[in-house]
């Protein structure tokens, strides 16, 4: 009894919903311009031929129960280079989400089934975790309008009921703009159906069809559990008869083995690789006989993506989940660790043709400090000694692209991205766009034919990009088309509406935005000229279409499907160069409404409407057969065939029962007439594989007399890209099988005309067609590489379109001519650092680049003075191509000068470089207690003491407005008693550190110096935390011994050894302000404390068995900040010591030349010596500025700094409180700053300038 699939309304609604969601998700996978080798934020709409013709199917069963799409782990493909056969395109899909963060992106202009804006990659990796297409009741594509298909019109007189399919059928010659014809009779195709029994629960499948005269098809089905987030079951099927029957191979791979992914060697389709689910085991199953037998190999890492070599079939790169790169030369049987910390999808094989080292690997790796670097090394030896770093310095993360003969990197400096290119592995050069394009984003579209096609989003663009085309080296770019439409994909990827027509060199379609309207343009000469598309003369029913250019035209959707079994909006094939099938509309602009299907059989010159609804169109027999299947959510059993390039269509049934179509796959190579339809009869049924064989339609192969010549042209112009090309086409009335594609019959070069030349770099095309210099470009400027006695190419303003084959004509007139380089004086000299920054780290290499706009560099002398007493001289530019490197041994601001001179003149340039070392610690030094209305000094003590240019921000108490100074020391007063907090923040470059201290303010207080048992010094680590804890313990011991309230006692342990402390006896009053202690009360408390201290009653236990006694040293009745000889004998001793040291310094200074080995320098020579601006000492040399003289942030901005001229040989700093001038000197102590190398001595006569002083202090500076 035959079972017919039932239909329930509730299930019908749910099915329609999930179908719509599926189609919306995958049908709209649109154009994106990105690196074919890197899944970045702009994901490539391209196939991965290295994985072989894999098709990924995914069922929606189980998803309806979950109410969401599957959350399968998705991988990204590794990437590389190498040409693949065109037949592989369209047979493999990868829907893995792209990782974010690549700014410079690359890819190829799309060809079917690559994305619009991304051409099929010549080499890409097989992604280990591609998201399969969802299985459901939806045919390929995106959601369609539920509009009934119009009934076919009756055939014209004399036409066979089978339409154009029948022999002798009359019809219009392909290439005309007439309406398509449809046959009335439904014919039957020969087909067989095979059900994958036992896999009804499986909701994902991966399909590999070897093709190329191979009858083997492999299918891997999987059950993905959305709750567990893993694969729980799998089955492997194999067919050896083109899909008529299948054999289940689970017993050959292991009944308990769960397979997750299927890989195919791109250069030998017989080699198959299966990857097991890593959650169960990490293994590879390898087959060398098209999947008939397998050997199992264990892995010690988890594969994230694979990259096959473009030529060597056994060479593979594997990227692990922990960012390690492995290599294998035995097709995965053994692996070797190549490098760690590799950026995802930023590893490539060396290009064949541009490198003689096929085992060379290009990769982007992270350094220890987190930077990204471009590295090349051998696949079996990537040690530090063998690695090469072709690009000097670091690059932006996820910016490396290796594509054909080009390598691209991005480096951001000054907030702007800069793009660099290396052609054929030569030195990197900065990519030159028009001066004021100021790109925000760039995508490499294509690198075909020794030319770079790039999409650039400029500073004033948001949803459009400009197309630029380069010279052969990829350095100089000129504008090809402005304001190309872009959009944001569902995964955040950028999609650009640009499509490269397959099979015709230099032909592109683009959607341009003009006055908020999107219109479709076409070019036949790689962007030199663009024109609108001519709409068809008649509609589908033969009614005339009134559409007049330029007000009305045909507009096409240029998004193609990256899924091989679903077609996108547009398709073309290399093997059918004149046929283009696309969906679009007729009108003033591109619209998402009233979408119809159109076909052109003469390379876009004329178009015909073929369907009013969107259809998936497949190419069979090299375009000799077009297969159209309607986009619908309903089950179908028929399709449409055309044997005359879309002029007429016949209806055929391919199955007896209606089938929910999940996908359609033709045999790779398009040389046979076998197609497989994947689907299911009902929601619960197994996978149904319908093999459709079209061979029965034909009774013979085509002979020579079945073909006619067809000349490629552009609206009648036969010369396309400098050549006349004639192709061979099958006559429309002939119904025979073509077989292998033969390509163009003849190609004849044309005479060069102005149309074969584009504007050169720096020139713009005006309305009269002439290329004239842009306002920012100086045509008279000579090449930087031009040297006297050599020659350079003097541009005429034009350059020949790359790959244009024209000869003679105006070629000599428009071609740049060599001229002798005249001698010229240097002009436009600049000196910059390689990273564009004005700061450098102490002890690290600084690379200076000398740039000269005009002049004979190779015959000039270059002198560079680094400002630290060291200078170098070069006799020619070759010594500075990689930059001039220098290491600074001191911090400060250095005046770097460069002088270039030759016999005709000279030029000089200056750069002020800030050399710093990291700021590690800030300590705010100030008294613990002070008296009211008394000046107090606060100093920020830094470690290390010399770090470069600093800014100090001070907060006092609850004041919300900070004070900003360039000094590390200030003075201030408090007029109110109480506890006050002071905070200082020190800014050094990108580092900001702060410290906060509390100071007690009283009208009067007493202080007492304390000493301790000598054994305390053995336990003193001399750190602030330890001092705070001991101070608390001492205070508690004093309170216990004397009974005095803790409110009257403040203990502060002092730094250094021997250990000592300051005891402050404070007045205290309650909240009402009464019971305030007088001076007599403080005296009494002092006597009690001294008495207890002298009697050894104050002690504490540091640790078991270690007892510490506290003693009294001396007592003062004045604040600690105002000690006098009567109060403190130690202060007098300190003053005497200072006087003695000052006298000693004076004597040494006077007789320094007579004392050998003494390195103290105080006087500067007026000769040209080390020139450096360095911060002065934080304590001794920086003046204490009263609080009244401090400036608010607004004052600091408004007041102009009065800075001493750099050229002054000496500098002075005046202390505003004492009025004396202090000369700043270098001493041996300076060598210790920032860990200077041992043995380094500062150069005699080094200049120091007070550029870091506050404006007020500088105004008070006096000359010595």
């Amino acid at each position: 009894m035959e079972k017919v699939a039932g239909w329930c309304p509730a299930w019908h609604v749910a099915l329609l919903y999930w179908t719509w969601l599926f189609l919306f998700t995958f049908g709209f996978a649109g154009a994106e311009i990105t690196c074919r080798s890197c899944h970045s934020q702009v994901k490539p709409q391209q196939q991965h031929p290295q994985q072989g013709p894999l098709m990924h199917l995914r069922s929606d069963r189980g998803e309806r129960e979950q109410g969401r799409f599957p959350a399968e782990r998705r991988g990204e493909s590794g990437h590389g280079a190498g040409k693949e056969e065109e037949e592989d395109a369209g047979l493999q899909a990868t829907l893995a989400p792209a990782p974010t963060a690549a700014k410079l992106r690359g890819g190829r202009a799309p060809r079917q089934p690559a994305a619009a804006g991304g051409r099929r990659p010549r080499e890409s990796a097989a992604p280990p975790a591609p998201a399969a297409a969802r299985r459901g009741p939806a045919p390929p594509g995106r959601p369609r309008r539920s509009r009934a298909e119009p009934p076919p019109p009756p055939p014209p007189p004399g036409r066979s009921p089978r339409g154009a399919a029948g022999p002798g059928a009359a019809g219009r010659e392909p290439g005309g703009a007439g309406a398509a014809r449809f046959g009335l009779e439904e014919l039957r195709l020969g087909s067989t159906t095979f059900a994958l029994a036992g896999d009804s629960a499986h909701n994902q499948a991966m399909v590999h069809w070897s093709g190329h005269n191979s009858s083997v098809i492999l299918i891997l089905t999987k059950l993905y559990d959305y709750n567990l987030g893993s694969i729980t079951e799998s089955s492997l099927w194999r067919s050896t008869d083109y899909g008529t029957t299948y054999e289940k191979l689970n017993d050959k791979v292991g009944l308990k083995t769960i397979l997750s992914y299927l890989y195919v060697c791109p250069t030998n389709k017989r080699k198959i690789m299966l990857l097991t689910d890593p959650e169960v085991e990490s293994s590879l199953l390898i087959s060398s006989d098209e999947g008939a037998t397998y050997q199992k190999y264990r892995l010690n890492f988890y594969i994230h993506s694979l990259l096959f070599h473009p030529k060597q079939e056994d060479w593979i790169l594997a990227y692990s989940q922990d960012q390690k790169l492995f290599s294998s030369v035995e097709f995965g049987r053994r692996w070797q660790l190549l490098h760690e910390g590799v950026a995802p999808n930023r590893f490539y094989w060396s290009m064949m043709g541009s490198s003689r080292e096929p085992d060379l690997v290009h990769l982007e790796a992270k350094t220890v400090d987190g930077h990204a670097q471009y590295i090349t090394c051998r696949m079996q030896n990537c040690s530090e000694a063998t690695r090469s770093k072709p690009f000097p310095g670091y690059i932006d993360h996820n910016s490396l692209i290796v594509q054909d003969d080009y390598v691209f990197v991005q480096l951001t400096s000054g907030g702007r991205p800069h793009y660099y290119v290396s052609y054929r592995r030569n030195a990197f050069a900065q990519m030159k766009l028009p001066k004021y394009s100021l790109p925000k984003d760039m995508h490499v579209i294509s690198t075909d034919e020794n030319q770079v096609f790039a999409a650039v989003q400029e500073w004033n663009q948001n949803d459009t990009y400009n197309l630029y085309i380069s010279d052969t080296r990829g350095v100089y770019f000129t504008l090809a088309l402005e304001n190309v439409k872009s959009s944001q994909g569902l995964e955040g990827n950028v999609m650009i509406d640009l499509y490269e027509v397959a099979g015709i060199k230099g032909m592109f379609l683009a959607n341009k935005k003009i006055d908020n309207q999107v219109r479709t343009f076409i070019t036949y000469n790689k962007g030199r000229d663009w024109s609108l598309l001519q709409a068809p003369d008649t509609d589908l029913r033969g009614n005339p279409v009134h559409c007049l250019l330029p007000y009305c035209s045909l507009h096409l959707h240029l998004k193609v499907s990256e899924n091989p079994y679903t077609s996108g909006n547009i398709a073309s094939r290399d093997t059918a160069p004149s046929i283009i099938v696309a969906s679009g509309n007729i009108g003033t602009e591109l619209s998402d409404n009233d979408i119809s299907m159109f076909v052109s059989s003469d390379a876009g010159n004329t178009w015909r409407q073929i369907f009013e609804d969107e259809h998936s169109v497949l190419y069979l027999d090299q375009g000799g057969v077009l297969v159209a299947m309607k986009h619908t959510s309903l089950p179908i059993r028929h399709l449409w065939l055309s044997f005359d390039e879309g002029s007429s269509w016949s209806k055929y049934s391919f199955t007896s029962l209606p089938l929910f179509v999940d996908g359609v796959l033709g045999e790779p190579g398009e040389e046979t007439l076998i197609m497989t339809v994947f689907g299911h009869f009902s929601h619960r049924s197994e996978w149904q594989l319908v093999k459709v064989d079209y061979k029965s339609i034909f009774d013979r192969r085509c002979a020579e007399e079945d073909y006619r010549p067809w000349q490629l042209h552009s609206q009648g112009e036969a010369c396309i890209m400098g050549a006349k090309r004639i192709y061979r086409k099958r006559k429309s009335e002939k119904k025979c099988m073509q077989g292998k594609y033969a390509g163009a019959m003849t190609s004849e070069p044309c005479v060069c005309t102005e149309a074969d030349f584009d504007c050169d770099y720096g020139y713009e095309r005006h309305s009269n067609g002439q290329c004239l210099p842009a306002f920012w470009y100086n045509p008279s400027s000579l090449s930087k590489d031009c040297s006297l006695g050599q020659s350079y190419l003097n541009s005429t303003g034009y350059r020949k379109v790359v790959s244009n084959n024209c000869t003679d004509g105006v070629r000599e007139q428009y071609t740049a001519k060599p001229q002798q380089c005249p001698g010229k004086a240097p002009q436009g000299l600049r000196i910059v650092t390689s990273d564009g920054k004005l700061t450098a780290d102490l002890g690290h290499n600084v690379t200076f680049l000398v740039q000269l706009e005009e002049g004979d560099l190779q015959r000039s002398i270059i002198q560079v003075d680094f400002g630290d007493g060291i200078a170098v001289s070069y006799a020619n530019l070759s010594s500075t191509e990689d930059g001039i490197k220098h290491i600074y041994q001191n911090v400060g601001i250095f005046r770097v000068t460069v002088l270039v001179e030759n016999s005709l003149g000279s030029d000089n340039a200056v750069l002020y470089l800030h050399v710093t070392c990291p700021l590690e610690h800030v300590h705010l030094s100030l008294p613990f207690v002070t008296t009211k209305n008394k000046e107090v000094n606060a100093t920020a003590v830094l470690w290390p003491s010399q770090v470069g240019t600093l800014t100090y921000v001070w907060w006092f108490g609850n004041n919300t407005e900070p004070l900003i100074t360039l000094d590390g020391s200030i003075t201030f007063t408090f007029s109110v008693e109480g506890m006050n907090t002071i905070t200082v923040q020190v800014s050094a470059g990108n580092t900001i550190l702060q410290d906060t201290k509390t100071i007690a303010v009283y009208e009067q207080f007493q202080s007492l110096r304390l000493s301790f048992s000598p054994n305390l010094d053995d336990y003193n680590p001399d750190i602030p935390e330890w001092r705070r804890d001991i101070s608390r313990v001492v205070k508690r011991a004093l309170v216990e011994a004397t009974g005095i309230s803790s409110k009257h006692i403040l203990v502060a342990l002092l730094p250094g050894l021997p250990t000592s402390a300051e005891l402050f006896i404070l007045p205290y009053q309650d909240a009402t302000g009464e019971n305030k202690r007088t001076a007599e009360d403080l005296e009494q408390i002092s006597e009690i404390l001294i008495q207890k201290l002298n009697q050894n009653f104050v002690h504490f236990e540091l640790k078991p068995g270690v007892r510490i006694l506290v003693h009294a040293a001396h007592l003062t009745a004045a604040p600690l900040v105002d000690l006098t000889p009567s109060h403190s004998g130690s202060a007098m001793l300190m003053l005497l010591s200072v006087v003695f040291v000052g006298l000693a310094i004076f004597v040494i200074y006077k007789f320094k030349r007579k004392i050998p080995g003494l390195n103290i320098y105080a006087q500067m020579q007026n000769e040209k010596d080390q020139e450096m601006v360095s911060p002065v000492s934080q304590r001794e040399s920086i003046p204490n500025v009263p609080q009244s003289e401090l400036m608010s942030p607004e004052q600091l901005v408004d007041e102009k700094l009065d800075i001493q001229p750099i050229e002054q040989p000496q500098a002075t700093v005046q202390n505003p409180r004492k009025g004396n001038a202090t000369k700043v000197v270098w001493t041996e102590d300076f060598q210790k700053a920032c860990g200077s190398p041992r043995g380094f001595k500062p150069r005699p006569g080094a200049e120091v300038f007070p550029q870091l002083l506050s404006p007020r202090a500088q105004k008070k500076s006096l000359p010595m």
Side-chain angles (χ1 to χ4, degrees), residues 49-53 81-85 88 122-124 208 212 264-271 308-316 331 352:
Q50 285 182 319
Q51 186 176 329
K83 293 187 177 180
E84 295 298 329
E85 299 181 32
D88 286 345
R122 292 185 175 176
E123 175 192 77
S124 75
H208 163 64
H212 309 284
V264 182
C265 176
T267 53
N268 184 355
K269 300 296 192 300
R270 295 182 59 84
K271 291 190 174 182
F308 293 88
H309 195 276
K311 296 296 181 182
Q312 301 291 333
E313 61 185 52
D314 291 334
W315 293 6
I316 309 175
F331 199 72
M352 306 301 292

Side-chain angles (χ1 to χ4, degrees), residues 925-1094:
S925 174
L926 75 163
F928 298 98
V929 184
T930 187
T931 56
K932 186 170 64 174
N933 298 322
K934 190 70 174 180
E935 282 190 349
V936 178
N937 179 57
T939 300
V941 181
L942 310 180
W943 176 258
S945 60
Q946 304 291 337
V947 294
T949 307
L950 301 172
T951 302
Y952 300 85
V953 184
W954 306 83
W955 279 271
F956 298 91
N958 296 324
N959 190 355
T960 59
E961 183 178 352
L963 298 176
I964 303 176
T965 70
L966 299 179
D967 297 329
S969 181
I970 62 172
T971 58
F972 52 90
T973 59
F974 291 101
S975 59
V976 180
E977 289 186 303
M979 304 299 293
N980 293 273
T981 59
I982 300 178
T983 299
V984 62
Q985 286 186 341
V986 183
S987 174
N990 295 326
T991 303
I992 299 180
L993 299 180
Q994 80 171 32
D995 191 18
T996 300
K997 290 291 189 295
T998 301
I999 183 172
V1001 180
Y1002 293 99
E1003 189 170 350
Q1004 57 182 352
F1005 64 89
Q1006 297 237 356
S1007 66
L1008 179 65
R1009 183 62 61 90
L1010 301 179
S1011 61
F1012 301 91
S1013 302
N1015 57 345
L1016 181 60
D1017 294 343
D1018 299 334
Y1019 302 94
N1020 185 354
D1022 199 19
I1023 60 175
E1025 294 84 351
W1026 186 85
R1027 290 193 291 270
R1028 285 196 296 268
D1029 289 339
I1030 297 299
S1031 298
R1032 188 175 58 254
V1033 172
V1034 173
K1035 179 178 179 179
R1036 185 169 60 245
L1038 288 169
V1039 171
E1040 292 175 354
T1042 62
I1044 298 173
S1045 172
S1046 61
K1047 303 292 185 180
H1048 294 291
I1049 298 176
L1050 174 64
V1051 178
L1053 226 67
L1054 302 178
L1057 295 174
T1059 308
S1060 62
E1062 196 75 28
L1063 170 61
F1064 298 95
I1065 305 166
L1066 308 175
Y1068 171 72
Q1069 61 182 0
D1070 54 25
T1072 61
E1074 300 178 354
N1075 302 323
K1076 184 176 179 180
R1077 295 285 184 175
T1078 64
E1080 293 77 9
D1081 296 331
L1082 295 180
E1083 191 67 32
Q1084 293 177 3
I1085 296 174
S1086 300
E1087 292 177 357
I1088 296 174
L1089 288 169
I1090 293 175
Q1091 180 181 1
K1092 296 297 183 180
L1093 289 168
N1094 291 336

Side-chain angles (χ1 to χ4, degrees), residues 81-138:
K83 293 187 177 180
E84 295 298 329
E85 299 181 32
E86 293 289 339
E87 290 80 5
D88 286 345
L91 301 175
Q92 173 180 332
T94 306
L95 301 181
T100 58
K103 294 182 182 178
L104 174 64
R105 296 155 186 137
R108 294 187 182 273
R111 295 181 180 178
Q112 174 71 15
R119 179 184 169 185
R120 171 196 54 79
R122 292 185 175 176
E123 175 192 77
S124 75
R134 302 182 64 240
R135 175 179 174 182

Side-chain angles (χ1 to χ4, degrees), residues 417-439:
H418 301 278
Y419 307 99
Y420 295 84
V421 61
S422 169
Y423 177 60
R424 292 185 175 175
R425 308 305 175 261
N426 292 319
F428 277 88
Q430 187 170 353
M431 299 166 67
K432 301 293 186 180
L433 295 167
K435 187 174 183 179
Y436 295 106
S437 62
L438 304 178

Side-chain angles (χ1 to χ4, degrees), residues 385-424:
T386 60
R387 296 173 193 166
S388 177
K389 300 173 183 177
F391 184 80
Y394 301 127
I395 63 175
D396 288 354
H397 290 281
N398 298 310
S399 70
L400 175 65
I401 295 172
V402 180
Q403 192 163 302
D404 293 329
D405 288 335
Y406 300 89
V407 179
F408 304 92
V409 297
Q410 175 179 315
L411 179 63
T412 300
S413 63
R416 293 182 183 177
H418 301 278
Y419 307 99
Y420 295 84
V421 61
S422 169
Y423 177 60
R424 292 185 175 175

